[in-house]
Amino acid sequence: MRIVHINSHYDQGGAARIAACIHRELLREGQESYAAYGRGGDRQEKNVFRFDGRADIYVSALLSRVTGLNGYWNRAATRRLLHILDRVRPDILHLHALHGYYLNLEMLFGYINAHEIPCVWTFHDCHAFTGNCGYFFDCGRWREGCGGCPRLGGYPASLFLDFTAQMLRHKRELFTAGSKKIIACPSEWLTETAKQSFFGKYPCRTVRNGIDVRNVFYPRDRDACRAKYGFSPGEKLALGIAAGYKDPRKGAEYILQTARDLRGKAKVILIGWDRKKGAMASGPDNAVLLPPTESADMLAEYYSMADVFLLPSLAENYATSTLEAMACGTPVVGFAAGGTPEQLRGKRGIAVKAGSQEELTAAVDSVLEGDCGLLQGEELARSIREENAAEVMVRQYRELYRELCCVTVQTGR
């Protein structure tokens, strides 16, 4: 069985790490897997192909923002992707995040529908069934046809024009033309939401995100990690990820305010604060702002030495950073948005009212003081190994692939 994964990035960011994880695990198991992506650095891995160029991305992003039409450009890049598909002749296409200024959706789905290629489509956000946004927050226009978008400037942004109604109609036509699709969602929240969209005609299944709990995300020696990075054994440490700090959805400002609220009690570490991109030069005096890193081992060491991990996303699906922290033995405090409460069930963390700084700070403080009775250390890590190991996720995807292949045989493709 030949499987091709398509995503905006490869091994950079949550959805990209999931796509890479599935691809690598399938190869490890002896499956014929390929990964094609549009953005980010070149990856020298087996059966991994980048088909977009930097100029393609810049031109597409500019045209998308000026015209308000996202997913209508990149013809040359998409043609390169289709050449890859012609060579590989996949039995299954595993689609991931298709937005990000790197694809021409009409060309891709024209090819898929013409060749009747069975697809598993993992929804990492809501973009596939909204007019344009990745998360709709409290807006219900996607159920009614979009138009009059209240977040036109959100990613993927339009500077002037609102074509969300037209794009939603076009998506419905393109995305639901074939019958051989299974929609996979990492959270029960997104699965139930997808069923309410035009994708409700397809099987919508929940497949939890998985991470590498064998080789990377496991509890490290807490005191040794603290000594390595210059923190004392007795310090109280909260940790957050600042990647995407300019995006209000990610809520980095809530982490900084938590640091202010806990001044004198704890240090708050933010990894991914890139000063070169115009970020503030410094935060509160108890905030430790660290640059981005691509080292998963470094992240695992920081997760392991922290007392609590913060996830103040105002809209979320099923964050891999939350899984990584818990797999390293660190409980999580986050906003009760999207799939986050599902991740924190069973005393693995605390979900507080989305947007409530007071509740967020109080919950973090309670974890630091040891007053909340949460799982931690090896006990917490074991619960993640059982539910969110990469092998568990890939086994469930293999079952979806087999299910699609059985449908294909029955229908005579």
Side-chain angles (χ1 to χ4, degrees):
M1 186 188 304
R2 292 183 298 277
I3 301 110
V4 175
H5 303 267
I6 299 175
N7 192 54
S8 59
H9 296 73
Y10 183 81
D11 207 20
Q12 292 178 286
R17 289 203 298 274
I18 292 299
C21 179
I22 300 170
H23 169 64
R24 291 166 181 159
E25 187 66 20
L26 288 171
L27 287 178
R28 191 182 70 82
E29 295 173 355
Q31 298 286 337
E32 191 174 352
S33 179
Y34 301 81
Y37 70 105
R39 302 180 59 174
D42 292 328
R43 301 286 171 158
Q44 302 302 315
E45 289 190 35
K46 182 179 179 180
N47 295 353
V48 175
F49 307 98
R50 180 182 174 186
F51 58 87
D52 241 323
R54 183 172 295 182
D56 298 314
I57 299 295
Y58 287 158
V59 170
S60 176
L62 176 63
L63 290 172
S64 296
R65 291 171 183 174
V66 170
T67 66
L69 294 169
N70 182 49
Y72 288 78
W73 316 106
N74 295 81
R75 297 189 66 84
T78 305
R79 198 172 294 115
R80 290 192 287 270
L81 169 62
L82 301 185
H83 287 326
I84 294 171
L85 299 183
D86 279 336
R87 292 200 309 271
V88 174
R89 295 179 58 81
D91 299 301
I92 299 283
L93 271 184
H94 192 151
L95 308 175
H96 294 269
L98 300 188
H99 56 88
Y101 312 122
Y102 78 109
L103 271 177
N104 183 295
L105 295 176
E106 189 168 28
M107 289 177 64
L108 174 61
F109 279 89
Y111 184 95
I112 291 172
N113 296 331
H115 291 78
E116 298 184 302
I117 304 174
C119 296
V120 170
W121 192 347
T122 298
F123 287 177
H124 297 279
D125 57 23
C126 308
H127 183 267
F129 55 83
T130 68
N132 195 46
C133 62
Y135 289 92
F136 53 82
F137 293 87
D138 58 353
C139 176
R141 285 181 171 87
W142 60 275
R143 292 185 175 92
E144 304 160 0
C146 280
C149 181
R151 291 185 173 83
L152 207 58
Y155 174 81
S158 171
L159 298 178
F160 312 107
L161 304 174
D162 185 349
F163 283 110
T164 54
Q166 293 90 329
M167 287 192 289
L168 186 59
R169 287 197 299 270
H170 200 194
K171 284 181 178 182
R172 184 185 293 111
E173 294 168 5
L174 286 175
F175 297 167
T176 64
S179 60
K180 301 167 187 174
K181 290 187 180 73
I182 294 178
I183 306 305
C185 302
S187 65
E188 294 167 9
W189 164 77
L190 190 52
T191 301
E192 293 306 311
T193 305
K195 288 178 181 178
Q196 299 171 34
S197 75
F198 50 74
F199 285 102
K201 65 178 284 188
Y202 299 113
C204 297
R205 310 284 172 71
T206 300
V207 179
R208 305 287 191 196
N209 284 340
I211 57 174
D212 187 347
V213 296
R214 276 189 323 226
N215 305 305
V216 182
F217 297 109
Y218 58 87
R220 313 296 177 96
D221 185 282
R222 178 178 181 274
D223 291 345
C225 290
R226 289 189 173 209
K228 178 177 179 179
Y229 294 105
F231 298 94
S232 68
E235 286 184 287
K236 293 179 179 179
L237 300 178
L239 176 67
I241 302 297
Y245 56 82
K246 290 185 177 181
D247 183 352
R249 179 180 75 85
K250 295 291 188 180
E253 182 55 43
Y254 289 97
I255 302 179
L256 291 174
Q257 185 58 49
T258 300
R260 297 182 189 102
D261 294 341
L262 297 177
R263 187 182 282 114
K265 288 187 175 182
K267 287 183 179 178
V268 178
I269 305 167
L270 262 170
I271 296 180
W273 201 272
D274 193 346
R275 293 179 176 85
K276 293 180 180 178
K277 293 186 178 180
M280 58 186 287
S282 63
D285 57 12
N286 62 328
V288 181
L289 306 181
L290 301 178
T293 178
E294 291 190 9
S295 170
D297 279 309
M298 178 182 172
L299 281 175
E301 290 169 342
Y302 269 93
Y303 287 136
S304 297
M305 74 181 186
D307 297 298
V308 61
F309 180 75
L310 281 70
L311 185 80
S313 298
L314 295 168
E316 192 58 79
N317 181 7
Y318 199 84
T320 53
S321 58
T322 300
L323 299 179
E324 293 164 0
M326 294 189 295
C328 293
T330 300
V332 176
V333 171
F335 285 149
T340 299
E342 300 170 36
Q343 293 184 280
L344 306 187
R345 289 185 299 210
K347 297 184 178 181
R348 295 189 290 194
I350 301 173
V352 303
K353 181 181 177 182
S356 174
Q357 181 66 59
E358 182 180 0
E359 291 188 25
L360 183 71
T361 299
V364 171
D365 193 28
S366 71
V367 177
L368 293 174
E369 294 298 327
D371 298 332
C372 52
L374 297 178
L375 300 180
Q376 56 185 332
E378 176 57 28
E379 190 177 13
L380 176 56
R382 187 185 310 117
S383 74
I384 301 303
R385 287 198 297 270
E386 291 172 354
E387 186 173 323
N388 297 106
E391 297 88 343
V392 174
M393 173 182 66
V394 173
R395 182 174 66 246
Q396 293 174 335
Y397 276 121
R398 283 202 314 269
E399 291 171 359
L400 296 187
Y401 300 156
R402 283 195 292 268
E403 182 178 339
L404 267 179
C405 283
C406 289
V407 170
T408 298
V409 170
Q410 292 170 5
T411 55
R413 176 178 179 249

